[in-house]
Amino acid sequence: MMTTPKPSAKTPDTAIYDRRESGVRSYSRSMPRQFNRAQGVWMHDSEGGRYLDFLSGCSSLNYGHNHPVLKQALMDYIASDGVTHALDLHTDAKTDFLQTFEDVILRPRGLDYRAMFTGPTGTNAVEAAIKLARKVTGREMVIAFTNGFHGMTLGALACTGNAGKRGGAGVPLSHVSHEPFDGYFGDEVDTADLLEQRLADPSSGLDAPAAFLVETVQGEGGLNAARPEWLRKIAAIAKKHGALMIVDDIQAGCGRTGGFFSFEDMGFTPDVVTLAKSLSGMGLPFALTLFRPELDVWNPGEHNGTFRGNNHAFVTATAALREFWADPSFADDIARRGGILEQRLERIARRHGLSTRGRGMMRGINVGSGEVADKITGACFDEGLIIETSGAHDEIVKVLAPLVIDDETFNAGLDILEEAIAEAIAPVDDADTRSERKLNVAA
Amino acid sequence: MMTTPKPSAKTPDTAIYDRRESGVRSYSRSMPRQFNRAQGVWMHDSEGGRYLDFLSGCSSLNYGHNHPVLKQALMDYIASDGVTHALDLHTDAKTDFLQTFEDVILRPRGLDYRAMFTGPTGTNAVEAAIKLARKVTGREMVIAFTNGFHGMTLGALACTGNAGKRGGAGVPLSHVSHEPFDGYFGDEVDTADLLEQRLADPSSGLDAPAAFLVETVQGEGGLNAARPEWLRKIAAIAKKHGALMIVDDIQAGCGRTGGFFSFEDMGFTPDVVTLAKSLSGMGLPFALTLFRPELDVWNPGEHNGTFRGNNHAFVTATAALREFWADPSFADDIARRGGILEQRLERIARRHGLSTRGRGMMRGINVGSGEVADKITGACFDEGLIIETSGAHDEIVKVLAPLVIDDETFNAGLDILEEAIAEAIAPVDDADTRSERKLNVAA
Amino acid sequence: MMTTPKPSAKTPDTAIYDRRESGVRSYSRSMPRQFNRAQGVWMHDSEGGRYLDFLSGCSSLNYGHNHPVLKQALMDYIASDGVTHALDLHTDAKTDFLQTFEDVILRPRGLDYRAMFTGPTGTNAVEAAIKLARKVTGREMVIAFTNGFHGMTLGALACTGNAGKRGGAGVPLSHVSHEPFDGYFGDEVDTADLLEQRLADPSSGLDAPAAFLVETVQGEGGLNAARPEWLRKIAAIAKKHGALMIVDDIQAGCGRTGGFFSFEDMGFTPDVVTLAKSLSGMGLPFALTLFRPELDVWNPGEHNGTFRGNNHAFVTATAALREFWADPSFADDIARRGGILEQRLERIARRHGLSTRGRGMMRGINVGSGEVADKITGACFDEGLIIETSGAHDEIVKVLAPLVIDDETFNAGLDILEEAIAEAIAPVDDADTRSERKLNVAA
Amino acid sequence: MMTTPKPSAKTPDTAIYDRRESGVRSYSRSMPRQFNRAQGVWMHDSEGGRYLDFLSGCSSLNYGHNHPVLKQALMDYIASDGVTHALDLHTDAKTDFLQTFEDVILRPRGLDYRAMFTGPTGTNAVEAAIKLARKVTGREMVIAFTNGFHGMTLGALACTGNAGKRGGAGVPLSHVSHEPFDGYFGDEVDTADLLEQRLADPSSGLDAPAAFLVETVQGEGGLNAARPEWLRKIAAIAKKHGALMIVDDIQAGCGRTGGFFSFEDMGFTPDVVTLAKSLSGMGLPFALTLFRPELDVWNPGEHNGTFRGNNHAFVTATAALREFWADPSFADDIARRGGILEQRLERIARRHGLSTRGRGMMRGINVGSGEVADKITGACFDEGLIIETSGAHDEIVKVLAPLVIDDETFNAGLDILEEAIAEAIAPVDDADTRSERKLNVAA
């Protein structure tokens, strides 16, 4: 397969969008093309252009666009008049999904979770998770972390760190305390210890929490990866203080960081896990909240949603689990590709005196400011590479390539990125300059 | 087409659900079958049973299950590798939808709205609506109404009346005042007047509202239909007090009450409208928040969501708009069928001393208690009719048949309902008994 | 005693106030005099002026200024080095107060309350009352009433209706629902019935309340007097729904409406009562929260305050209880004087087509607007009568004369008021005009 | 004067308290005596006992009980029928107070503050301060500190750290973030730097604050004294981020730490200062909120309170300012006595391997646990010394002796304390034991 993108020069007519779509739209502003077809790692536009996708729907397309196996499964289902919408009635598609999830994901990992089919958006899965934690514990306060992102509905938004998104609420966002994530105060300060001291102190003003809501790698917040030992400490603190540990695995899960769950082999088991994004495998709306059976204190219908039974998504999700997770070779592939990504980003970082972030196939490079990052992603797009930024100041250029990308294409995309960075940031020549730059590019 | 349901007697094995699905599931408890196929007004189960669907995914399947035109459009799109997921990038499918929505819905009705593609759940559309109202007005309090239902995420849940659902929040639900809906205190008291008096009184303790959030017919709250004059008063009060009027048309819109919007021809134009449920036409997750262009004060990305670009839903929604709304005959059909429904329910009500509720194809009958209603819907299901309840005490048996149902099948379903009611409630013989029953069945 | 006021013409130098006191000051703006002496019903200014006090410190001076018996008791106490400040340690002064309160107030009325000495302000007594109700019930929401006033600290302010005062909070005032007071929607609508309907409806959105917080006569809110039958209904609703009934008797208590408590002989017993204002008898800071012994679930120190043991106030309060409440003649006197007040205000109201409000020695006249009321109170002040306004629009001229005023002086003061009203509002000549005016002066 | 206490052995009859006072009472439980007279540093009980007061009404009696000069001023005022209660009307007593406060306190210190006479409790002064900050900034969140105590009404309570007191609220305490006080994480971590990092980070989740509310020495929270450089940093951070710096000087002010204000000579000027406790000089209820004139954005009456014009307190406060603050010798005396206190506590601490806290005449000793502290204060009381505890676990024995105590009596009291500690805690013999104990007594 040809590995080179072929971008279009022409911006299509956007009059209907200008006239009828809200100004809240965002990606279409920096990528002003109209896309009409997508396959694997490629998106095609209406002018015949072809783009390599290093955004992957913000990690919603871990298996690439319209994977042929998933696509065929869905077409067969539709052709046979399989149930499309059935609220939460039992359907063949749902049965298959649950059984496959048990067989392929839970059993091999020794995990015992119940699945709650929430409204099919990540934010809804998070809302369900914190509602459950509040119900189970009878407490109101949730501890979330700096730079965390968990969604845009009011309950999840209260757990989100970003000031711009928080400001959209128009009401005070209450019942959440935002605590420093791992490494927030540098390598010398263990933020879990600081947190534990305050929780153990009856005069700290920090109320007893219902839950700790944490991403193992912060997708929107700058690809900060927590150390396993820090996560284990948080799990232990949660247990000690009678709170639930919720891992929001919406962006980091489904293989993005290596395993199906981002917390595998770390020595702790979350009480609650949220999944969405790549869960359906094909980008269809689907979200799950998983929790230990003992925590399943819901009354029937206490949290529901019209589209909680998106059977199309069940079909593609089941096909994806079977295709990718039934044997361990996929995880091995991710690990290998993650290694390539790490090496190439590290090389770029060293050359320009920058630093890298992340884990597995969820990595980025801190280019010092949002302005520089925008310049870089803009230059990439001009070369046919779709890539975006992350972080408090949008200063992290993040690589979220499809996990199934072949090495040649992957490297071709990284070449574009490397060149764009080289154009935007002069290389570091000697030690003095390097340390100087570090100061300038600090967040 | 044969119009008689053929229910299965056998309950399928549910071990995987018992083991792996949360106890929050609800409909599958009262309808313990596994469904594997659905077409038009019929659902089929794994035992060969056939069920007439008077629930329609809570009004998400107004055009029936898997309508052939919509189905074909979707299969063609998938076959051609049409973009499935693209965040909010412009796609052919999205362009088509916006253009068709403008041509078929907005222009003919003289409406000038901008569309915000929120996360594809109704609750997300409501959250966006109230966030916008709070941002536009700089105020925090939203006025919602008794028996209103608007969703399960924290912002929408605060606007929801039902105590059981509210209780799930685990935190106080703030910044909302729940005011009596039209007719709440009987025919003599105009609740809009009571509200206006308090809003005009600087010592009433009722803060100036950001918005009024109202359903024209309360889908979950008991099919209470507001009078047009009451809605006009609320619109006028909103305008006078600098608040936005938001019509939550998620359940009552898309033809359910007659027109595409439930407020057509009522003499007022909402500032904001929310749509979801039947918007995609095929039951796929899709939600929209519409608002006057002057209100479009969003910053890019200030409210977003991974699945806000569900292109499959754009495809089927576009096909549905063209198929059903391009000429006025569909609305005429709904009006005619709504008339049938009204007559049959009224006849039942008269016979048993009951009362009816609702408007268009969104009607129900108050059978006095949730226990009686459950008995009736259970008896219907045993005869192969899927039908559910609504209201504060689940005391309203509600008919949400597909709008496209043919008269013969419709009547066959209503026959089952009539018989079930007759078995559950003795007929009224004379005036004395009737007035007595009225007391017994009062909510 | 000479009964005629002798106002000063000269405004004293206020430079120190302009320079050093916050602009939040209020009464000194409409009454720009410097007072240096006060005895009984009279206040004296630095220019030799003498003013009849129909404001009585907003009902904090029910026994007049510096009553000789109270004054002597206090001077004796100070001279003997009686304990002034002792936190909540037992002192002779506190023992005497508690014993006298039991003997003179509780026992004769068959009331069994425990006394909580809160910080010595009314708002603190209210905060303690609602904290207790929330603790006892485990619920968060308090029902307060339109036009209610309960204080300015955040918890009490949330229960206050006035928008201007609420606005000072700078944060949303949560966990309170403001419901229509008795008569709010006119004589035909019983607002207790409306409230009961919503509380009984699980879909009304009105959460189960911890307490009902009610004034029997709304001091700041316009002297609206609740009917005993309405108050009994509220007490019954509270009981039925597991909430506490709190009577805020801070302004209406201590004899202002006739008995020591404003709810005496009304056929219900509040669960909690707050007292302050005239409790010390001499205007010294003192507040109490009373509650049924079964409700005394406080932990030691769970609500406290440095000045909760204001022993000077205990001394004067004890003297006042003995002087005024040990035999029933004082209540008889108040009833008689209240009758004089009623007759005179009614006469004025009839003459000018106005309406009166209130009960006992807590009455006012609605003059239609705050502007007219200001004109009237300004004219009174020019004649040496201190009198103020009340109500949502400050449209009620309220008479809060000392309860101990002699008839001659009382009538002299009311003459001044009558004349001022006559100058501000033309008399009504015939029926037509009268009904017209009624429209104009409606709140 | 004889310097030895003479405690009573007999506990008086407390039946009236058991019957009629709420269980919320606290000090009277550990000090079961009835006090009837108090002079200077001594309290006398009804059995003839005499107690040395090292509690001083929690620093409300800095000049001792019933100081003769203040007492005489008050008696003269009462005898002359000086105005006792006048809401916020101008009175001679108020004029004198404002003028004296300007002359004796503000001018010599180069401070330009306006005075707001709030309800006469500390908590009310704090509520006014944070309301003002929210109004001025248009922001809602206030930053308070671990172990901070600011009062018991809802707004101030939200700023208080203690979990027991917070729990009394019965509602979530919102709009406040509790941040680590100076030294909270040990000497190596500058908590102001941690705070600044989060405030500067738009993704930290820490909203922009309206104010920083800080005690320079935390009276209830364990006598933690902030370093001047930390306070200056907080002042600078507040300024940089557009927030007000509020110093709550209710317990540490009025000479307790040396100067009239606790922040004198520290190189910063708070935007807002709260005063109460010893402000009246005699223990009478009085509170003030001071702020820069530019911040005086209050509307008339926007925050008020019935007892905001406690003229008796104005009289004694004015006398106290003149008696103690007109020349610098008093501050010198405090400094000298504070030195004695420091030396004696340090000696005790060294002997027992303990640590001391505090500044000026506001110091304590950490005895490791609340149980040990209770044993010590109980033993002191048996010897006639009134002394109390402080801190998250009540583990700090705090000395709040009257500032006017003579050296002999002071030392006599400290002898009692020293002996009580020696009985409760064995002395440290060698280095090993000492370091071991340190672990055991850590908070």
Side-chain angles (χ1 to χ4, degrees), chain A residues 218-223 373 388-398:
Chain A
Q218 299 185 308
E220 299 303 299
L223 301 177
E388 266 296 340
T389 62
S390 170
H393 304 273
D394 298 318
E395 78 282 19
I396 313 290
V397 177
K398 72 175 168 186

Side-chain angles (χ1 to χ4, degrees), chain C residues 370-383:
Chain C
E371 290 69 38
V372 174
D374 274 358
K375 204 173 148 192
I376 291 165
T377 56
C380 288
F381 189 71
D382 290 342
E383 297 301 314

Side-chain angles (χ1 to χ4, degrees), chain C residues 7-175:
Chain C
S8 300
K10 201 171 140 197
T11 302
D13 177 28
T14 61
I16 184 69
Y17 291 97
D18 299 339
R19 200 162 65 236
R20 290 296 167 207
E21 188 177 12
S22 165
V24 80
R25 68 192 182 277
S26 55
Y27 289 109
S28 57
R29 294 169 186 273
S30 54
M31 295 183 267
R33 294 294 179 279
Q34 175 153 322
F35 297 92
N36 61 5
R37 199 160 54 84
Q39 231 318 308
V41 302
W42 299 102
M43 296 193 77
H44 303 265
D45 77 8
S46 54
E47 304 292 327
R50 191 173 88 148
Y51 300 80
L52 180 57
D53 188 357
F54 271 26
L55 175 55
S56 299
C58 289
S59 200
S60 297
L61 296 161
N62 284 356
Y63 318 121
H65 293 267
N66 296 323
H67 188 280
V69 172
L70 280 56
K71 170 180 158 182
Q72 192 58 50
L74 179 57
M75 290 186 68
D76 291 350
Y77 187 79
I78 299 172
S80 71
D81 281 331
V83 176
T84 300
H85 184 289
L87 297 164
D88 65 0
L89 291 174
H90 300 338
T91 63
D92 282 6
K94 191 171 181 178
T95 303
D96 284 357
F97 171 76
L98 275 175
Q99 190 62 60
T100 307
F101 193 74
E102 181 180 75
D103 293 344
V104 174
I105 302 298
L106 296 181
R107 286 239 172 93
R109 288 162 182 78
L111 293 169
D112 185 14
Y113 285 133
R114 289 232 174 121
M116 175 177 180
F117 297 84
T118 67
T121 63
T123 195
N124 203 307
V126 169
E127 296 255 349
I130 60 182
K131 278 166 97 169
L132 183 69
R134 284 167 172 157
K135 183 168 189 190
V136 165
T137 63
R139 300 173 182 173
E140 287 166 329
M141 202 265 289
V142 166
I143 289 182
F145 291 91
T146 50
N147 288 295
F149 178 84
H150 302 285
M152 298 297 266
T153 52
L154 215 60
L157 185 56
C159 301
T160 291
N162 185 279
K165 299 200 187 303
R166 291 171 66 76
V171 290
L173 296 168
S174 303
H175 315 309

Side-chain angles (χ1 to χ4, degrees), chain B residues 10-31:
Chain B
K10 201 171 142 199
T11 302
D13 176 27
T14 61
I16 183 70
Y17 291 97
D18 299 341
R19 200 161 65 235
R20 289 297 167 206
E21 189 178 12
S22 164
V24 80
R25 65 192 184 279
S26 54
Y27 290 108
S28 56
R29 295 169 185 272
S30 54
M31 295 183 268

